[in-house]
């Protein structure tokens, strides 16, 4: 609808000699006359009846042209006039908003840019609104308007997702073109997300133009755009086209705004990405749309509708495939039936089935022969293995399936060969048959530091995929999944899920492999949520949540288990074992995410619900009660924890379970809370008991004995015998460094040695021990892992003690920011970091003043 049809004068600038305020007041007066006129009193009464009252003096200021009215005043007057006349629909408030924005711009220029330096400069250079940055693609021949697949009414963020060639970019371009044509858009920003570097460079340049300021750091400059858009009162649309890596947008997301729309086109369907906005899932054409498209491109007399429908079905109704095929038919002057014959011919090559010049500027040819290629791979020796392997891979993370999954028993079972070693070899060969037919690639970039060997430790060809990443193009995965029959799909999902669980069960899973397994598990859950929940939740759903939390993302793990509990509660009774077990997982991550008190209450409630269902000495029931006690102690009540844990320990001993794992865990927790209560002698007695038991059973040099001895000697150290504590730790480390130099237990022992070294009065030596430990944990575990963050804390703390408080303060400031971002503002680690930072700053200040440092506590 035009401005005239809305009953409002079109947007324009002041006449010669007319000030901006006089021009705007004239617009208002003209609109009043068009809406029936009236005196000031009548207009004030109209606003009162419309429940948007405007005072007489305010109205007089707005219509006099001597003062700048508030936008709210203008909108209230427009609403009142619209309702007074009983007009249908809503008044054109966005149009008045644009007029008001122009008024502000004109006033800004008169003030020499005090409101917006960029607007003033743009006006002086002859640039006017609307503004466009980047090139909006022209309408493609492959594009067909689809009313059911349009971008919803804004404002907001919308993620246009779908496989390649379904029209994501064209849907975004159509939206932008329509709004520009309607005059409802003032600013368009179109950038292609080819890489993080390109995104940052493009957004930084746009931000510099809009803000009129530049910054030396490109990341900082790009971040300016978000702040500018958040404050902008103009209507804007930002399009991020073809986002391949969601992390490329971290820190660069356009804001939510009443004036703005963000469109992101992407093939990715990550849960974290989808949480950023409303998903608009673009799918291939339906049969009616495919027929309409081919008929319009080829002409109504080119072929019978049934032939066109059959051709569209062969091509999977993919818009890009239909476009390239239609161009090929026109260039080659062949019929759809002849094309279908070529397409079905064994060995048909893609280069023979697409036009020489691809239409619509799309750089890649469409391949409709995925299924044919899979069949060829499946026919090669070992026959019948490549197809099932491809079905499993189609459900995982195509950007990197760890090769270790391909040597698990679950994947080996896809081979009919009875020999485990031969089955692994056949899966290996099937993968390379798929690679030879360009259905996947094998990346030699390692995903694991483990040597390529079988689960039995036996090296062989089947293990050659370990440490490598299998990459499958999204189109290939989509085509494979679309062809799966229901039984095949259920089988592939079960195999993929079990392979992931087995991958996590292997000993010594390094952090890099853990990340890859987690990414694949979430990809599987995204594709097969219902299958993983039917008939009962698959263990992989729990294992992936624990992997997420163990990597340092405790809050994300908590959210995962909350969502899982919601699904479980909807499907199972409250007293079902699955429901109760899920509550236990959720309570654990509630504690690890920084709420031990809430976790203690959750475990106590779980125990109350379990108690009527199990015998009083049931191991699971006792373990729930133990967890409630442990987290109550962690929440600040160690004495209560000691009482409860002592009761449970004596009960388990009385039941004859002294060697059970739960009993040993009970004893360790009891010792720790005795120590937390100040009773190191009691803690020492328990750990010495464990040490002597293990020594009698395993011998003095067994690693488990050395661990038990180290735990006991820790309490001797607390009681003053630091030498014994260090000696026990060094003996343990000597064995661990031979067995697993990069293992988490080895790193933990090194951290304890550094701590006792510092506590014995050698702070500089503690720093020297912690520096290489930090490098090793960073390399193996990654920067986000809690142990890596903890090492940074320990290193800075001992730097302060070693006489480097200024450097420590700098490191602690950076650590605090990282912890707040990674762990959340309420995590229990933060108060300790803040206290260490305050101490470092105090000592640094004392050093600067030449005064004695404050007394340590």
């Amino acid at each position: 609808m035009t401005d005239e049809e809305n009953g409002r004068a079109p947007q324009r600038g002041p006449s010669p000699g007319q000030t901006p305020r006089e021009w705007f007041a004239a617009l208002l007066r003209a609109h009043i006359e068009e809406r029936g006129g009236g005196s000031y009193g009548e207009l004030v009464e109209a606003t009162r009846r419309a429940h948007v009252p405007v005072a007489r003096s305010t109205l007089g200021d707005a219509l006099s042209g001597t003062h700048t009215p508030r936008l709210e005043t203008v909108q209230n007057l427009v609403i009142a006039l619209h309702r007074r006349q009983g007009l249908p629909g809503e008044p054109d408030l966005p149009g008045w908003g644009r007029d008001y924005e122009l008024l502000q711009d004109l006033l800004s220029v008169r003030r020499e840019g005090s409101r917006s330096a960029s607007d003033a400069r743009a006006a002086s250079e002859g640039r006017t609104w609307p503004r466009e940055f980047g090139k909006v693609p022209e309408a493609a021949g492959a594009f067909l308007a689809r009313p059911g697949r349009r971008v919803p009414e804004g404002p907001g963020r919308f993620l246009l997702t779908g496989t390649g060639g379904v029209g994501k970019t064209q849907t975004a371009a159509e939206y932008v073109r329509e709004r520009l044509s309607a005059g409802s858009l003032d600013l368009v920003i179109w950038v292609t997300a080819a890489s993080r570097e390109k995104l940052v460079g493009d957004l930084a340049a746009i931000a510099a133009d809009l803000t009129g300021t530049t910054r030396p750091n490109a990341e900082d400059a790009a971040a300016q755009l978000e702040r500018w858009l958040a404050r902008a009162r103009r209507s804007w649309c930002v399009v991020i086209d073809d986002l391949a890596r969601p992390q490329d947008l971290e820190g660069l997301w356009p804001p939510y705004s009443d004036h703005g729309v963000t469109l992101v086109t992407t093939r990715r369907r990550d849960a974290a990405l989808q949480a950023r906005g409303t998903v608009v899932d673009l799918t291939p054409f339906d049969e009616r749309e495919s027929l309409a498209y081919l008929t319009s491109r080829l002409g109504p007399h080119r072929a019978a509708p049934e032939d066109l429908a059959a051709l569209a079905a062969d091509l999977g109704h993919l818009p890009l495939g239909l476009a390239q095929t239609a161009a090929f038919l026109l260039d080659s002057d062949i019929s759809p039936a002849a094309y279908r014959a070529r397409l079905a011919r064994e060995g048909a090559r893609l280069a023979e089935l697409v036009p020489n010049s691809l239409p619509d500027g799309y750089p890649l040819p469409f391949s409709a022969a995925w299924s044919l290629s899979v069949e060829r791979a499946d026919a090669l020796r070992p026959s019948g293995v490549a197809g099932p392997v491809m079905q499993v891979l189609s459900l995982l993370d195509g950007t990197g399936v760890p090769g270790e999954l391909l040597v698990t028993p679950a994947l080996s079972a896809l081979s009919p060969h009875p020999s485990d070693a031969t089955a692994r070899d056949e899966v290996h060969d099937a993968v390379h048959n798929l690679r030879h037919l360009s259905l996947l690639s094998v990346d030699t970039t390692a995903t694991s530091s483990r040597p390529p060997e079988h689960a039995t430790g036996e090296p062989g060809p089947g293990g050659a995929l370990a440490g490598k990443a299998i990459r499958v193009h999204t189109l290939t995965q989509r085509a494979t999944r679309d062809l799966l029959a229901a039984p095949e799909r259920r089988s592939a999902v079960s195999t993929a899920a079990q392979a992931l669980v087995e991958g996590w069960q292997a000993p010594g899973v390094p952090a890099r492999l853990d990340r890859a397994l987690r990414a694949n598990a979430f990809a599987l859950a995204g594709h097969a949520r219902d299958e993983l929940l039917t008939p009962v939740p698959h263990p992989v759903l729990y294992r992936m949540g624990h992997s997420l939390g163990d990597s340092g993302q405790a809050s994300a793990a908590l959210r995962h288990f909350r969502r899982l509990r919601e699904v479980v509660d909807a499907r199972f009774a409250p007293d079902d074992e699955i429901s109760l077990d899920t509550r236990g997982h959720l309570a654990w991550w509630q504690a690890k995410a920084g709420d031990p008190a809430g976790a203690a209450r959750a475990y106590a409630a779980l125990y109350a619900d379990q108690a009527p269902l199990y015998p009083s000495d049931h191991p699971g029931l006792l373990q729930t009660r133990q967890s409630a006690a442990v987290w109550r102690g962690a929440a600040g009540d160690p004495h209560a924890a000691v009482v409860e844990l002592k009761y449970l320990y004596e009960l388990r001993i009385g039941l004859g379970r002294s060697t059970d794992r739960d009993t040993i865990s009970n004893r360790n927790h009891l010792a720790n809370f005795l120590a937390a209560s100040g009773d190191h002698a009691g803690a020492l007695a328990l750990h010495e008991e464990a040490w002597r038991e293990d020594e009698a059973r395993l011998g003095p040099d067994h690693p488990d004995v050395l661990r038990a001895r180290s735990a006991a000697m820790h309490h001797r150290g607390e009681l003053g015998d630091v030498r014994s504590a260090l000696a026990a730790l060094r003996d343990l480390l000597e064995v661990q460094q031979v067995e697993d130099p990069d293992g988490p237990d080895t790193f933990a022992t090194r951290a304890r040695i550094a701590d006792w070294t510092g506590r014995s009065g050698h702070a500089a030596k503690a720093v020297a021990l912690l520096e290489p430990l930090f490098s090793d944990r960073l390399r193996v575990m990654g920067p986000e892992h809690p142990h890596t963050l903890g090492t940074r804390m320990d290193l800075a703390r001992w730097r302060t003690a070693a006489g480097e408080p200024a450097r420590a303060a700098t490191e602690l400031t950076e650590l605090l920011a990282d912890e707040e971002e990674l762990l959340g503002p309420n995590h229990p680690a933060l108060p300790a970091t803040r206290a260490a930072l305050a101490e470092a700053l105090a000592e640094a200040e004392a050093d600067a003043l030449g005064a004695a440092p404050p007394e340590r506590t």
Side-chain angles (χ1 to χ4, degrees):
M1 184 177 290
T2 65
D3 288 330
E4 288 84 356
E5 291 170 329
N6 271 307
R8 182 177 63 82
Q11 179 175 320
R12 58 186 183 274
S15 303
Q18 189 180 39
T19 69
R21 291 191 184 94
E22 291 171 346
W23 160 75
F24 192 80
L27 280 184
L28 283 174
R29 292 193 298 270
H31 185 67
I32 291 170
E33 290 301 317
E34 291 164 357
R35 290 288 183 260
S39 66
Y40 276 9
E42 291 170 336
L43 295 175
V44 169
E45 178 63 15
T47 63
R48 186 188 66 78
R49 289 182 177 178
H51 305 292
V52 286
V54 176
R56 185 186 184 98
S57 60
T58 302
L59 185 62
D61 288 342
L63 299 179
S64 68
T66 57
H67 297 87
T68 303
R70 293 195 307 148
L71 179 58
E72 181 182 8
T73 298
V74 176
Q75 292 173 331
N76 288 347
L77 179 60
V78 171
I79 291 170
L81 294 171
H82 187 88
R83 293 178 181 174
R84 186 179 69 173
Q85 285 198 308
L87 297 175
E90 297 295 330
D92 182 27
L93 296 181
W96 279 103
R98 291 192 296 276
D99 286 342
Y100 192 84
E101 190 76 23
L102 178 57
L103 170 65
Q104 296 292 341
D105 287 346
L106 294 168
L107 293 172
S108 172
V109 172
R110 289 170 67 91
R111 294 192 299 268
E112 299 181 346
S114 62
R115 177 177 178 275
S116 170
S118 64
D119 282 350
R121 189 182 70 226
S124 68
E125 295 173 358
R127 289 177 286 151
T128 59
W129 299 92
R131 305 276 301 281
E132 293 185 42
F133 296 90
K135 182 174 177 55
V136 179
E138 296 180 358
F143 186 72
L144 180 72
R146 307 169 74 188
R149 303 293 179 187
R150 294 175 63 85
V151 177
E153 293 292 329
R157 285 182 185 157
F158 303 101
L159 307 178
L160 278 56
T161 65
T163 190
V166 294
K168 300 183 293 294
T169 296
Q170 281 297 315
T171 299
E174 179 198 33
Y175 173 86
V176 172
R177 287 193 297 267
E178 285 187 352
R179 287 199 59 188
L180 285 172
S181 177
S184 64
L185 199 55
D186 296 318
L187 173 64
V188 177
I189 295 174
W190 189 292
V191 291
T192 302
S195 67
R196 170 79 179 188
E197 293 72 21
K198 185 178 186 305
L199 263 178
V200 168
D202 290 346
L203 296 178
I206 294 167
D209 190 293
L210 289 172
T211 64
T213 61
T214 58
R215 297 195 178 191
N217 182 285
E219 292 273 353
D220 291 343
Q224 284 189 109
L225 182 60
E226 186 271 343
R227 295 188 289 273
W228 189 92
L229 292 172
R231 295 191 299 267
R233 297 171 72 177
R234 292 185 178 278
S235 57
W236 54 262
C237 178
V238 177
V239 180
I240 311 293
D241 192 28
D242 197 20
L243 178 66
R245 289 166 32 96
Q247 57 265 43
D248 285 349
L249 259 183
E250 285 303 315
L252 302 176
W253 280 91
Y256 283 103
S257 166
D258 290 341
H259 301 282
V261 170
T262 299
L263 304 180
V264 177
T265 72
T266 179
R267 299 178 185 182
R268 300 293 296 263
R269 300 173 182 269
D270 307 60
L273 179 62
Q274 292 188 8
R276 294 281 194 169
T278 301
V279 175
V280 179
D281 193 14
L282 298 178
T283 60
F285 288 158
D286 60 29
E287 294 179 1
R288 179 187 57 79
E289 290 170 331
S290 294
L291 182 60
Y293 174 77
L294 288 175
T295 301
S296 66
R297 285 296 307 274
L298 300 177
H301 306 296
R302 183 84 182 195
E306 55 269 24
D307 289 339
L308 295 179
L311 175 61
D314 285 349
L315 297 173
H317 301 282
L318 190 70
L320 178 64
L322 296 176
Q324 294 186 359
T325 300
F328 184 84
L329 296 178
L330 293 171
D331 290 348
S332 305
D333 194 25
I334 64 172
S335 69
Y339 183 90
R340 293 185 65 214
R342 292 192 186 189
L343 186 64
R345 187 178 303 152
E346 178 72 17
R349 298 182 61 189
L350 180 64
E352 300 168 350
L353 300 173
V354 295
N356 292 322
S357 298
L358 297 178
D360 306 323
Y362 201 87
L364 299 175
F366 165 73
S367 174
W370 299 122
S371 59
L372 188 62
S373 297
V374 173
E375 289 173 6
R376 291 186 63 194
D378 205 43
L380 297 174
R381 190 178 65 246
S383 176
V385 181
V389 169
M390 190 68 208
Q391 291 171 1
V392 172
L393 293 176
S394 75
L395 295 162
L396 297 173
D397 180 8
T399 64
V401 178
E404 283 80 357
L405 288 186
L406 278 299
V407 297
T408 57
L411 263 295
S412 297
L414 297 178
S415 164
H417 205 285
S419 164
D420 290 344
T422 302
R424 285 190 291 268
D425 292 346
E426 289 187 346
V427 170
H428 170 274
D429 294 344
V431 168
H432 284 282
N433 288 338
L434 292 165
R435 179 177 68 85
H436 293 152
L437 288 165
S438 300
L439 289 161
L440 56 78
S441 63
V442 180
D443 193 337
T444 57
T445 302
T447 61
S448 168
S449 59
R450 291 214 314 254
E453 58 185 25
H454 300 318
T456 61
E458 171 193 358
L465 291 171
K468 298 177 181 178
I470 313 301
R471 306 194 187 281
V472 189
H473 194 279
T474 304
L475 283 175
T476 313
Q477 287 188 299
R478 175 64 179 270
T480 304
R481 290 195 303 271
D482 287 349
L483 293 173
L484 287 177
E488 292 175 322
R489 181 178 178 84
R490 287 193 294 269
S491 176
V493 170
S494 177
T495 299
Q498 184 59 29
L500 287 163
V501 171
E502 291 170 355
W504 267 307
Q505 288 173 342
V509 175
R512 294 180 63 203
L513 177 56
D514 178 65
R515 288 194 294 271
L517 292 171
R518 185 167 65 251
N520 279 269
F522 275 99
L524 175 62
H527 293 308
R529 176 177 175 272
D530 289 341
E531 289 91 339
L532 291 174
L533 288 166
T534 306
V536 296
H538 195 283
V540 76
L541 294 171
Y542 296 87
R543 189 62 189 83
M544 62 200 275
H546 286 291
S547 170
L548 191 65
D550 290 339
S551 72
Q553 303 176 69
S555 297
L558 178 61
R559 291 192 295 272
H560 171 80
F561 281 106
R562 279 176 175 162
R563 290 192 294 268
L564 183 57
R565 182 185 174 182
E566 290 174 359
V567 175
V568 167
D569 284 351
R571 293 176 177 232
F572 299 92
D575 60 352
D576 190 280
E577 187 175 350
I578 291 173
S579 298
L580 297 172
D581 182 59
T582 303
R583 286 170 61 187
H585 291 283
L586 175 59
W588 171 261
W589 287 110
Q590 186 175 356
K592 301 297 281 185
D595 185 14
R601 292 190 295 271
Y603 274 118
L606 177 60
Y607 175 78
D609 291 340
Q610 287 177 324
L613 305 175
Y614 303 107
S616 60
D617 61 351
H618 188 277
L621 188 63
L622 297 181
Q623 191 62 24
T624 300
R625 187 171 175 180
Q626 174 180 310
S627 296
V630 167
W631 292 116
R632 183 177 177 184
D637 194 352
H639 296 287
V642 166
V643 172
E644 182 74 349
L645 291 169
K646 185 177 292 185
Y647 167 80
L648 290 171
Y649 181 57
E650 293 171 353
L651 175 62
R652 281 166 163 154
I653 295 296
L655 292 170
R657 301 175 183 172
S658 59
T659 59
D660 286 2
R661 183 175 179 178
D662 290 347
T663 305
I664 294 171
S665 169
N666 190 156
R667 179 169 57 190
N668 288 336
H669 283 302
L670 175 56
N672 291 336
F673 282 112
L674 283 170
S677 302
D679 185 5
H680 287 285
L684 173 61
L686 284 173
H687 276 136
E688 280 195 328
E689 176 186 330
W691 167 28
R692 297 306 180 187
E693 287 177 0
D694 287 346
E695 187 176 45
R697 184 167 51 91
L698 301 172
D701 297 325
H702 192 279
D704 289 347
V705 176
L706 294 175
R707 290 187 186 92
R709 176 186 167 216
S710 172
M713 293 305 101
H714 169 81
H715 298 293
R716 283 197 179 177
E718 294 290 354
L719 292 168
D721 189 0
V722 176
R723 180 176 297 179
S724 293
L726 277 170
L729 286 167
R730 286 169 179 153
D731 289 344
L732 174 60
L733 181 62
E734 186 175 341
V735 174
Q736 289 176 327
Q737 286 185 319
V738 173
E739 287 187 334
D740 189 7
D742 285 342
D745 290 344
T746 307
F747 290 161
T749 301
R750 290 169 61 186
R752 294 189 190 103
I753 290 174
D755 185 60
W756 280 113
T757 299
R759 293 172 67 179
S760 65
H762 302 288
K765 288 184 179 180
V767 170
L769 291 169
L770 286 168
E771 287 177 332
L773 174 61
F774 171 60
S775 297
D776 288 341
R777 274 181 161 161
L778 186 65
R779 170 177 54 85
V780 175
M781 297 178 167
E784 299 179 354
H785 197 282
H787 292 168
T788 306
L789 298 172
T791 305
R792 289 172 63 185
M793 166 70 169
D794 293 339
L795 183 55
R797 185 166 56 88
W798 287 116
R799 283 200 201 280
T800 300
E804 297 182 275
R807 180 175 179 182
T810 299
E811 293 177 355
L812 287 165
T813 300
E814 296 171 352
L815 173 62
L816 184 61
D818 290 344
E819 286 180 333
E820 288 176 342
E821 179 181 354
L822 296 171
L823 306 178
N826 299 318
H827 196 276
L830 268 64
T833 305
R834 294 189 183 102
L837 175 58
E839 182 179 354
L841 290 171
E843 295 209 15
E845 183 178 1
D847 285 352
L849 296 174
E855 183 177 348
R856 284 178 166 274
T857 59

